Amino acid sequence: PKLSPTMNAGGIAAWKKAPGDAIAAGDVVAEIETDKATVDLEAQDDGFLAKILVPEGAQDIPCGTPIAYIVEDEEALKQDFDA
């Protein structure tokens, strides 16, 4: 997501959750590097982190690019996200 008005791309400074982890709304999922600062990316809803698509340390990721899959229920973690 775009975290500042001038942001066109960003980077993943750190993932704070791992695949399979439960996530509650408001949890910090990752630290995102913007053009001006490093900010926390908070979950908007409850769920589970199913798969990380962009690795920690990646730079110049265009805004709007999916960085992870989050699913609503634990059963959905069994899906094949590579298919």
Side-chain angles (χ1 to χ4, degrees):
K2 198 169 190 172
L3 300 174
S4 78
T6 60
M7 185 177 178
N8 294 317
I12 307 293
W15 283 101
K16 298 301 184 180
K17 298 287 184 176
D21 285 353
I23 297 172
D27 282 357
V28 175
V29 178
E31 291 180 355
I32 305 296
E33 295 175 341
T34 72
D35 53 341
K36 296 185 182 343
T38 300
V39 296
D40 292 339
L41 176 63
E42 295 181 357
Q44 300 300 305
D45 295 304
D46 297 347
F48 295 86
L49 181 58
K51 182 174 182 174
I52 292 173
L53 302 174
V54 178
E56 191 169 286
Q59 297 291 318
D60 297 319
I61 305 154
C63 288
T65 301
I67 60 170
Y69 290 133
I70 296 177
V71 296
E72 290 183 12
D73 58 70
E74 197 167 12
E75 188 66 25
L77 291 173
K78 297 177 184 175
Q79 284 181 222
D80 180 9
F81 291 96
D82 293 321

